[in-house]
Amino acid sequence: MSSVRTLVCVKQVKQEAPEEWDESMPLPGDIIEGLAENDDHESFVQIKAKSELGTLLGKISQQFEALWLRVRRGDRIIKLRVRPVAERNSMLQKKYTIRAAKDDRHVAVIGDLTFEQCTELQEMSRKVVNVDGRGFRKQGVKYDWKMKVDTYLPDQRSPVISSVLFPPLQGENSIEATTARCMAWFSAAVSSGVPLVFVNIQTEQIVTSERINFTGREICGGKQQNPTTTMQIVLGIRLWFLPGVAEVLLEMTPELGEARFGMDIKRTEEGFFCVYSVTEGSPADRAGMGHLYEEANANGYLLIISRLEGKSVMPSGAICDGHLDCCDHNEIKDTLTSAIDSMEGIHVHIMVWSSQPHPSVSRSNAATLLPPNWFHPSPPL
């Protein structure tokens, strides 16, 4: 039985800041081929084993402060400036290794490894150091996050961007089906007049629970007797969008004797809350909602509430049984009633629509998504 051939290789580096590694240092995966006092090609002594390298370093460590190491890194041969150093854990008999010439912390651990092991370590080093495209060294810079949030966000409690998470339905086994359902929801919302702005979609791992008993199994809901719960990971789709081209804040302040804020709201099929009437002279009308309602109607949009008292009232996701995860309509009514009973003002954020009128769409072209302005289709073949 033939023995496996090994190479002298850098196994690891005792340097806890890999972001400070660079191409001039010994890196994990470097295959050591020779050692010399200078970088002249003819002067390199061939190295075939870890013990051989250690012995040679021990002999010349007192004579030279720095040496040249020839290593194979990928398909390149590189000469590195290194210094011999005694290993700290070699108490009875001194054993020697190497460290980077310009960084005393960068000490290499040498081993006899197979070519496959060296290649695997080299790939790790390439990802860490990115020697082909690395820029300047990075450093931490103090940043006043609180000041930036207070200054540059329209509302400190809002992240500006919103998202909806779509898990796969029961029996839905392809990510394409989940994506199609996600985009159908978005297209339906936009077609109905909700002024959403598409940002991005991404896949996302979702941890779900599965309850099993002796009579069957049920996922995502329902009641079971003496169930056993197991966890599983499924792949869903998260859709990112902007709640309109902007959000406008209205502060509705009741006056003595008023029993309503003067706006009627209902939930759309896609889970958004829209204002469908505003009473003239009411707190909502005085705050500017009546004008916005007329303007939205004139441009073909719905007047959508994005947040109430800073809290989002937009749908946050779908459920794997097919329902949408929406805010409780009764809780929103209770919040408004409590404020009017206490004669307190309340803050409402409204989605702002594009200045262009919303195109009227029919069922046949409701899902049409327009390409960007710079896109020019190729001529037909």
Side-chain angles (χ1 to χ4, degrees):
M1 183 176 180
S2 59
S3 59
V4 178
R5 184 190 172 206
T6 59
L7 304 167
V8 186
C9 180
V10 179
K11 289 176 60 177
Q12 67 182 81
V13 173
K14 295 179 180 179
Q15 219 283 48
E16 297 179 356
E19 67 275 6
E20 297 182 15
W21 296 1
D22 64 45
E23 194 176 10
S24 68
M25 300 174 173
L27 299 176
D30 282 351
I31 299 172
I32 300 173
E33 296 192 342
L35 187 69
E37 302 169 12
N38 55 63
D39 63 348
D40 181 53
H41 179 74
E42 301 297 331
S43 63
F44 278 90
V45 177
Q46 190 175 8
I47 304 296
K48 295 183 179 180
K50 171 188 173 182
S51 58
E52 185 179 340
L53 175 62
T55 301
L56 187 56
L57 288 171
K59 290 180 180 179
I60 61 178
S61 61
Q62 303 300 323
Q63 304 174 37
F64 304 97
E65 290 187 0
L67 301 166
W68 286 93
L69 194 71
R70 186 175 67 196
V71 302
R72 180 177 295 277
R73 186 179 292 166
D75 57 358
R76 298 181 299 161
I77 299 295
I78 299 176
K79 297 174 183 177
L80 305 176
R81 190 72 166 163
V82 298
R83 299 182 186 276
V85 60
E87 296 183 7
R88 291 185 178 180
N89 59 353
S90 55
M91 302 297 293
L92 298 177
Q93 181 182 0
K94 275 193 175 182
K95 296 181 181 180
Y96 288 85
T97 184
I98 54 174
R99 63 174 173 83
K102 63 180 185 180
D103 191 337
D104 293 347
R105 303 169 301 167
H106 198 94
V107 179
V109 177
I110 310 298
D112 294 318
L113 305 179
T114 64
F115 178 75
E116 289 74 19
Q117 290 172 321
C118 297
T119 302
E120 186 177 342
L121 288 172
Q122 286 186 15
E123 179 63 19
M124 181 275 292
S125 296
R126 186 189 65 80
K127 292 178 180 178
V128 172
V129 180
N130 190 18
V131 293
D132 295 328
R134 181 174 178 175
F136 293 104
R137 181 176 296 177
K138 304 298 189 294
Q139 69 177 52
V141 177
K142 187 177 181 180
Y143 192 78
D144 192 341
W145 290 103
K146 186 178 185 306
M147 183 275 290
K148 297 295 183 179
V149 169
D150 292 347
T151 305
Y152 293 101
L153 280 184
D155 189 305
Q156 299 168 23
R157 293 172 292 183
S158 170
V160 179
I161 194 169
S162 299
S163 69
V164 174
L165 180 61
F166 293 83
L169 296 178
Q170 296 181 33
E172 192 172 72
N173 298 318
S174 72
I175 196 65
E176 290 80 8
T178 309
T179 305
R181 190 162 46 83
C182 159
M183 293 310 298
W185 174 88
F186 179 81
S187 181
V190 172
S191 298
S192 70
V194 182
L196 304 181
V197 179
F198 177 82
V199 175
N200 194 19
I201 60 172
Q202 68 183 61
T203 57
E204 184 170 320
Q205 289 186 337
I206 307 170
V207 178
T208 64
S209 62
E210 182 178 24
R211 291 178 290 177
I212 306 173
N213 64 13
F214 293 108
T215 61
R217 67 176 59 191
E218 184 170 330
I219 304 176
C220 295
K223 295 182 179 180
Q224 292 285 341
Q225 298 297 322
N226 301 320
T228 297
T229 301
T230 60
M231 308 301 292
Q232 61 178 342
I233 297 177
V234 297
L235 202 59
I237 292 291
R238 184 174 292 277
L239 168 67
W240 293 93
F241 63 89
L242 295 175
V245 295
E247 292 178 90
V248 61
L249 171 62
L250 302 181
E251 184 174 1
M252 302 185 298
T253 305
E255 295 179 351
L256 190 63
E258 292 181 321
R260 297 179 69 245
F261 282 109
M263 64 174 183
D264 295 307
I265 61 175
K266 64 181 178 180
R267 187 162 49 206
T268 70
E269 291 184 357
E270 281 66 49
F272 294 94
F273 287 97
C274 73
V275 177
Y276 66 90
S277 70
V278 179
T279 303
E280 185 176 354
S282 66
D285 188 39
R286 292 195 301 271
M289 189 170 291
H291 173 72
L292 288 177
Y293 177 71
E294 293 176 359
E295 190 174 338
N297 283 338
N299 285 276
Y301 289 96
L302 297 176
L303 191 64
I304 301 294
I305 299 174
S306 57
R307 284 178 287 140
L308 182 65
E309 287 293 277
K311 299 178 181 179
S312 173
V313 296
M314 296 177 285
S316 59
I319 308 174
C320 60
D321 63 0
H323 288 78
L324 290 174
D325 196 6
C326 302
C327 290
D328 188 341
H329 194 279
N330 291 326
E331 186 176 357
I332 293 176
K333 285 185 176 180
D334 290 343
T335 301
L336 295 172
T337 301
S338 176
I340 200 75
D341 289 345
S342 304
M343 296 302 292
E344 296 176 349
I346 199 164
H347 294 93
V348 178
H349 281 81
I350 301 294
M351 293 187 192
V352 178
W353 49 90
S354 168
S355 58
Q356 296 180 348
H358 186 269
S360 59
V361 293
S362 62
R363 182 179 297 274
S364 61
N365 64 359
T368 301
L369 298 178
L370 298 178
N373 295 330
W374 49 263
F375 176 78
H376 300 287
S378 302
L381 297 176

